[in-house]
Amino acid sequence: MEINEFIKDFADQFDETELEEFKPETDYREDLEEWSSLTGLAILNMIDKKYGVKLTNSEIKATDTIQSLYDLIASKL
């Protein structure tokens, strides 16, 4: 897994936000207007299905940027 692939997979969970908005340093809760708890569930599901990593709500809440979420997933692969 590499960060650009993960960013594309992450961005695919959003309907209206352009891919260019997603960068490793993006604080997805603060910087993305489209972020919602439903989007968070879709991202957890994508991570489980695509990467085979199950994250808890508390684990995902401990991350803030796309990079920190990526690092968490990479540490579990």
Side-chain angles (χ1 to χ4, degrees), residues 22-56:
F22 299 89
K23 302 198 175 3
E25 64 275 8
T26 301
D27 183 328
Y28 53 86
R29 286 189 197 87
E30 297 292 321
D31 298 341
L32 301 174
E33 223 176 271
E34 197 180 345
W35 174 262
S36 69
S37 57
L38 194 58
T39 309
L41 290 173
I43 289 167
L44 282 174
N45 187 51
M46 175 274 294
I47 292 167
D48 182 20
K49 293 211 176 331
K50 176 126 191 190
Y51 300 102
V53 173
K54 290 190 186 298
L55 297 177
T56 65

Side-chain angles (χ1 to χ4, degrees), residues 11-18 22 34 39:
D12 284 347
Q13 307 311 304
F14 292 78
D15 295 326
E16 298 169 16
T17 309
E18 296 295 322
F22 299 89
E34 197 180 345
T39 309

Side-chain angles (χ1 to χ4, degrees), residues 1-10 19 22-24 51 70:
M1 173 178 79
E2 72 100 30
I3 187 73
N4 290 328
E5 175 190 347
F6 178 71
I7 288 173
K8 184 180 178 326
D9 293 336
F10 186 95
L19 181 60
F22 299 89
K23 302 198 175 3
Y51 300 102
Y70 171 83

